[in-house]
Amino acid sequence: MRVRDEEKVKLVKQTAIKLIVEDGFEGFSMNKLAKACGISVATLYIYYEDRDDLIISIAKEEGDRMGDAMIKDFDPEASFEEGMRVQWRNRYAFISENPVSGLFLEQLRTSTYQERFLDDFMKKFKHVIARFMHQVVERGEVNAMPFEVFWSIAYSPLYSLIRFDREGQSLGGKPFKLSDEVLWQTFDLVIKALKN
């Protein structure tokens, strides 16, 4: 049996993410991946059972990386505003520092892999955030609300700004570059909307 070459595995993962971002899941194949990596297709099957196993494996690793980044320096006992500020900072930093991974994770959310990806991704993160939200609701800092309502108000503005920044333009084609001033001005409005 051949020994697992960790450098090759790393190359396969990075190349797979890049190809999926460029070509989508429909345009992604093990043959295309092997060719882009300069390895044989048989080598891929040493590391992964099939295409789905490869995608789910990479999705789990990237989701774990993002989940770890989102809860870095996050205190579930923090005030609502401080906890949310850490969340915004961490999410923005992760996507800024890992733009291809951010696009890959975004594509997962709108794919047939969404459910399997989110199940793993949410396990670690959900416990910490649920504790935080329970605390801030109990302290009366925000009202209880459905998760979907909270997420739409709390994070959609951040992800819209990030998308505008990535595309280099806002609606109507107006040039856009995300600044700290705009980021935190938006954050202040989000906090104002969510606080009692």
Side-chain angles (χ1 to χ4, degrees):
M1 184 168 166
R2 285 173 42 181
V3 177
R4 185 176 170 103
D5 180 341
E6 292 304 322
E7 284 303 311
K8 202 171 281 184
V9 172
K10 184 177 176 183
L11 171 67
V12 166
K13 290 175 188 175
Q14 290 172 340
T15 306
I17 291 169
K18 180 179 177 284
L19 290 174
I20 291 168
V21 166
E22 290 173 359
D23 302 332
F25 290 104
E26 303 79 22
F28 178 74
S29 71
M30 296 295 263
N31 286 335
K32 192 181 275 189
L33 176 59
K35 185 176 180 180
C37 291
I39 60 176
S40 74
V41 176
T43 300
L44 292 175
Y45 290 103
I46 292 170
Y47 306 131
Y48 305 99
E49 283 181 32
D50 56 24
R51 178 183 181 270
D52 285 347
D53 182 46
L54 177 134
I55 292 170
I56 293 300
S57 174
I58 293 171
K60 182 181 179 339
E61 287 180 29
E62 290 303 296
D64 284 349
R65 278 191 341 113
M66 184 175 187
D68 289 345
M70 288 183 342
I71 58 175
K72 180 183 177 203
D73 300 326
F74 179 75
D75 178 4
E77 304 296 324
S79 70
F80 179 66
E81 185 170 343
E82 185 51 37
M84 289 298 296
R85 185 175 302 278
V86 171
Q87 279 294 293
W88 270 51
R89 185 174 34 244
N90 288 349
R91 289 166 189 256
Y92 179 56
F94 180 84
I95 293 171
S96 296
E97 294 164 11
N98 303 279
V100 177
S101 181
L103 288 169
F104 171 70
L105 294 170
E106 192 174 303
Q107 281 184 324
L108 283 168
R109 288 185 46 86
T110 59
S111 76
T112 57
Y113 297 99
Q114 175 181 343
E115 194 171 308
R116 287 182 283 176
F117 162 66
L118 287 178
D119 282 347
D120 277 342
F121 175 65
M122 293 302 286
K123 282 178 187 168
K124 183 188 294 185
F125 178 71
K126 192 176 188 177
H127 175 72
V128 175
I129 293 302
R131 186 169 151 210
F132 169 69
M133 290 307 299
H134 176 76
Q135 296 289 336
V136 298
V137 167
E138 198 171 85
R139 289 192 303 253
E141 293 181 69
V142 295
N143 291 326
M145 64 188 81
F147 171 76
E148 296 78 8
V149 172
F150 172 76
W151 197 97
S152 295
I153 296 168
Y155 299 115
S156 288
L158 171 63
Y159 289 113
S160 291
L161 290 173
I162 291 169
R163 186 174 51 255
F164 290 150
D165 186 62
R166 181 178 60 238
E167 295 171 356
Q169 61 184 5
S170 64
L171 298 176
K174 181 181 171 188
F176 182 82
K177 178 72 180 143
L178 183 56
S179 66
D180 283 349
E181 180 183 352
V182 169
L183 179 73
W184 297 115
Q185 177 185 18
T186 306
F187 173 81
D188 289 341
L189 291 169
V190 164
I191 296 302
K192 186 176 180 181
L194 287 168
K195 272 188 165 181
N196 290 335

